[in-house]
């Protein structure tokens, strides 16, 4: 295999900082802010914006009258220019992983993983069951005078009533754009005396009787009027309709969320997803909701502002988490390496040398390089190595030794907190030796990102402790670990006898590999390779066991 270091490669299971569900104004606005904040953002959208039938979006400063689909296309281009990604599909379900992150199942069978979720799926308008309405929706059948009033100003406007209070409100509102407004009582029931007085004072004519047809019937031509059950025809050029509103979010149950009734002025208009504050935070930690999903009445400008506010809150939440973990990790590992001039023997992990011996040198990524034993050995075998660790003390020691060994030009040392960042690019070998930590550490998420970083045809090597003997002491651990490993760079260090170590099957399951994309070359527990003739043992003389998972990404 020749050395490679690609920027990316396509695969159906992806991991991001933020998953944005819905690609309208709210979702794209949030994605734009997050992408500009250098977050990894994926927008999943089914491509059915609520306002698609309308000729233009209004009230959006600088974009007045822009066609809705053109606005979406511009927004996508802007988000994409900052590295945001898109996936055209529906989200069928979202669940929370044990590490607190989220897993989303998409309609095309792919899976997406993210640390935070921004819901922006909007609302669906439910029209009264009357033939001819749907065909003219967004053109002559209208719901919002602020969206469409100017376009039908001074024309004949009829308002179809389905709920008395809402209908009266709409009729009085439409009256601002035209002096020729009629209120069709339809199925709304009787109006109060006060409502009739208000309508009469504003010159709104009330027509009783159920509407049975929109004219002309059976066609989608320009609206001319409606016909009542008694045969009366009411001429009009536009028909205002108060729609029922329902959210588009079948995945809410998996997040522990549910829509609630949307009530305005005592009238129930449909449902929406309630939030706990102005930034769009929901009752589910790590999940925000914006736009018409929260407020179905919000226009494009308001929905976009919602997305912006939520994105800022999400980024702040991620920063707070990353800062807390970084402080804990840096302080622990700098202290750990500062305890003595050298912690580990300097020899490479025997599991690495055993598993990599048959691979042609290429570009390797060494996760948690510690004092550099593995990275230096790989460089000596002809590999170009990117070696990362959280401890600057360890990296300085590793770099000094690499210079002595004459391989400094083959190794790039990078200080990286794997809990919050990951090296870019793709690699022929990604090695994670003993990726354990006594502190809070998202091991499974890091390993999934490690899998993402493997180039087609490349190898992922994960070596872990198996179940550690109960009496296995810290001193014994220090004596027996000869390599470097993530357990030394971001690893277990002390107290790992109290940890639960995953089996090879559990490691494979946690990676969530796409079917057919990988070949499992090894997945088993075994005695530690450090001393083949004298396997490491605990005080009860039981051999210390490790587990190795070696995978090859199919070309």
């Amino acid at each position: 295999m020749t050395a490679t270091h690609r920027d990316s490669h396509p695969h159906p299971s992806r991991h991001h900082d933020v998953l944005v569900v819905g690609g309208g104004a709210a979702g794209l606005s949030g994605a734009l802010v997050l992408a500009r904040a250098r977050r990894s953002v994926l927008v999943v959208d089914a491509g059915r914006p609520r306002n698609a039938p309308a000729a233009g979006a209004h009230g959006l400063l600088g974009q007045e009258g822009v066609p809705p689909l053109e606005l979406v296309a511009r927004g996508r281009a802007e988000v994409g220019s900052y590295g945001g990604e898109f996936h055209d599909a529906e989200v069928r379900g979202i669940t929370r992983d044990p590490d607190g992150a989220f897993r989303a199942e998409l309609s095309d069978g792919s899976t997406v993983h993210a640390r935070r979720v921004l819901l922006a799926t909007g609302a669906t308008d439910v029209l009264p069951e009357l033939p001819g309405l749907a065909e003219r929706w967004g053109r002559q059948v209208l719901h919002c005078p602020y969206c469409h009033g100017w376009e039908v100003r001074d024309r004949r406007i009829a308002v179809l009533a389905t709920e008395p209070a809402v209908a009266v409100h709409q009729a009085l509102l439409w009256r601002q754009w035209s002096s020729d407004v009629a209120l069709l009582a339809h199925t709304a029931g009787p109006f109060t005396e006060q409502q009739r007085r208000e309508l009469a004072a504003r010159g709104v004519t009330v027509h009783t009787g159920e509407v049975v047809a929109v004219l002309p019937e059976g066609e989608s031509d320009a609206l001319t009027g409606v016909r009542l059950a008694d045969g009366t025809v009411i001429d009009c050029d536009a028909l205002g309709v108060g729609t029922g509103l329902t959210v588009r979010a079948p995945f809410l149950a998996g997040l522990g969320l549910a829509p609630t009734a949307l009530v305005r002025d005592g009238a129930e208009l449909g449902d929406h997803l309630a939030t706990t504050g102005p930034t769009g935070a929901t009752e589910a930690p790590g999940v925000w909701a914006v736009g018409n999903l929260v407020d179905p009445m919000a226009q494009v400008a308001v929905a976009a502002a919602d997305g912006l506010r939520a994105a800022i809150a999400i980024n702040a939440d991620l920063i707070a988490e990353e800062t807390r973990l970084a402080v804990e990790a840096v302080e622990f590992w700098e202290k750990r390496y500062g305890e003595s001039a050298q912690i580990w023997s300097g020899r490479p992990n025997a599991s690495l040398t055993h598993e990599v011996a048959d691979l042609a040198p290429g570009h390797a990524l060494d996760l948690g390089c510690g004092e550099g034993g593995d990275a230096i050995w790989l460089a000596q075998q002809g590999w170009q190595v990117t070696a990362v660790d959280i401890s600057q003390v360890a990296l300085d020691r590793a770099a000094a030794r690499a210079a002595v060994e004459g391989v400094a030009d083959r190794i790039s040392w990078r200080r990286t907190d794997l809990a919050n960042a990951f090296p870019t690019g793709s690699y022929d070998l990604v090695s994670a030796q003993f990726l354990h930590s006594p502190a809070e550490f998202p091991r499974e998420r890091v390993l999934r990102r490690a899998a993402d970083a493997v180039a087609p045809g490349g190898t992922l090597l994960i070596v872990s402790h198996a179940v550690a003997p109960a009496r296995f002491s810290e001193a014994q651990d220090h004596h027996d670990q000869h390599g470097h490993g993530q357990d030394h760079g971001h690893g277990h260090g002390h107290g790992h006898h109290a940890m639960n170590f995953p089996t090879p099957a559990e490691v494979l399951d946690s990676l969530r590999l796409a079917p057919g994309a990988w070949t499992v070359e090894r997945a088993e527990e075994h005695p530690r390779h450090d001393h083949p003739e004298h396997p490491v043992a605990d005080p009860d003389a039981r051999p210390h066991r490790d587990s190795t998972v070696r995978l090859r990404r199919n070309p």
Side-chain angles (χ1 to χ4, degrees), residues 118-145:
L118 177 60
L119 303 178
T121 50
T124 298
D125 293 286
V126 181
L127 291 167
E129 294 184 3
L130 188 63
L133 290 185
E135 293 83 353
R136 297 177 173 90
W137 178 241
R139 296 183 295 114
Q140 294 100 33
V141 176
L142 312 169
H143 75 299
C144 172

Side-chain angles (χ1 to χ4, degrees), residues 293-304:
L293 176 62
V294 175
D295 180 7
M297 306 296 188
Q299 291 183 272
V300 172
V302 176

Side-chain angles (χ1 to χ4, degrees), residues 59 84 91 104 204 233 235 249 292 358 387 400 405 410 422 450 461 465 467 508 524 527:
V91 174
V204 176
V233 172
D235 295 329
N292 288 163
D358 63 337
E405 298 289 339
R410 301 194 63 81
F422 201 89
L461 178 62
H465 292 297
V467 177
L508 285 172
E524 62 180 3

Side-chain angles (χ1 to χ4, degrees), residues 505-520:
E506 289 171 337
V507 171
L508 285 172
D509 184 63
S510 71
L511 292 174
R512 300 168 183 156
L513 302 172
W518 294 81
T519 299
V520 179

Side-chain angles (χ1 to χ4, degrees), residues 18-19 29 34 112 131 165 204 285 335 361 379 407 424 435 440 460 480 536:
V18 184
L19 166 64
S29 177
L34 289 163
V112 173
V204 176
K335 178 181 178 182
V407 292
T424 59
L435 190 65
E440 183 178 353
L460 173 63
D480 289 324
V536 177

Side-chain angles (χ1 to χ4, degrees), residues 346-349 351-367 369 372-387 401 407 410-411 413 428-433 461 484:
R347 294 194 295 271
N349 279 303
S351 293
L352 174 74
T353 62
H354 181 268
E355 297 294 336
V356 175
D358 63 337
L359 298 181
H363 196 145
L365 175 62
D366 183 11
L367 300 176
C369 64
D374 283 2
I376 291 171
W377 181 84
L378 286 168
Q380 291 171 334
Q381 311 310 306
W383 291 82
Q384 191 71 32
V385 184
T386 298
R401 185 180 162 208
V407 292
R410 301 194 63 81
I411 307 174
W413 306 100
D428 302 298
L429 169 67
V430 177
S431 174
Q433 301 288 311
L461 178 62
H484 67 294

Side-chain angles (χ1 to χ4, degrees), residues 296-327:
M297 306 296 188
Q299 291 183 272
V300 172
V302 176
D306 282 353
L308 182 148
R309 280 193 297 265
I312 292 173
I314 291 170
N315 190 53
D317 189 54
L318 287 168
I319 288 173
E321 177 185 80
E322 292 162 354
T323 301
R324 175 178 59 82
L325 295 176
V327 168

Side-chain angles (χ1 to χ4, degrees), residues 171-317:
L172 295 175
L173 193 58
W174 279 107
R175 178 62 181 79
Q176 175 63 28
W177 281 265
S178 175
S179 60
D180 191 347
V181 177
L183 177 56
L184 310 173
H186 190 46
T187 59
F191 301 112
T192 68
E193 180 61 27
Q194 178 62 29
Q195 289 170 335
R196 289 185 175 277
R197 290 169 59 193
E198 292 175 351
L199 293 167
R202 292 289 285 163
V204 176
T205 305
V206 178
H207 297 275
T208 58
E210 184 176 352
V211 177
V212 295
V214 177
L215 305 176
E217 295 183 72
E219 302 178 23
S220 58
D221 294 336
L223 179 71
T224 62
V226 299
R227 185 172 65 248
L228 305 183
D230 63 2
T232 301
V233 172
I234 309 298
D235 295 329
C236 61
D237 304 303
L239 185 61
V241 177
T243 63
L245 299 166
T246 183
V247 302
R248 298 189 291 190
F251 44 77
L252 290 178
L255 294 169
L257 299 171
T260 58
L262 176 66
V263 179
R264 295 285 175 86
D265 299 325
E268 185 171 327
L269 306 181
D271 54 26
H272 72 137
L273 181 62
T275 59
T276 60
T279 66
T282 70
E283 293 180 349
V287 180
W288 279 255
V290 294
N292 288 163
L293 176 62
V294 175
D295 180 7
M297 306 296 188
Q299 291 183 272
V300 172
V302 176
D306 282 353
L308 182 148
R309 280 193 297 265
I312 292 173
I314 291 170
N315 190 53
D317 189 54

